[in-house]
Amino acid sequence: MKVLVYWAAVVVALALVAAAGGGQVAMAAVRCSPAELSSCASAITTASPPSRLCCRKLREQKPCLCNYLKNPTLGKFVNTPNARKVAAACRTPFPKC
């Protein structure tokens, strides 16, 4: 339960960063928004299999992942072993930035 509360706070923080412009960058018709990856929260925090929605959103946000990794606020959530497992399960190569 604590993990869910923690992750909800993270998602809200990411949404606030995105709303403030820190997480939104237009890249080749992709609107970078870390909040788009909220469907991956349970897979990243609990190591459960990612949903189809999570994988679709991860593929959509793929051009943005390096920016997320380079952002000190977001990078610590994106660059985790479970996040790498989610990317592998979704057949989306983890970026090498």
Side-chain angles (χ1 to χ4, degrees), residues 29-63:
V30 173
R31 184 172 180 181
C32 294
S33 175
E36 290 291 317
L37 298 174
S38 63
S39 60
C40 297
S42 65
I44 291 171
T45 58
T46 66
S48 61
S51 66
R52 288 183 185 172
L53 177 61
C54 168
C55 290
R56 187 181 59 166
K57 292 296 184 175
L58 185 61
R59 284 189 291 275
E60 287 174 5
Q61 294 290 302
K62 184 179 175 185

Side-chain angles (χ1 to χ4, degrees), residues 37 58 61-70 78 92-93 95 97:
L37 298 174
L58 185 61
Q61 294 290 302
K62 184 179 175 185
C64 310
L65 295 178
C66 278
N67 286 337
Y68 299 162
L69 284 167
K70 292 175 184 176
V78 178
T92 303
C97 308

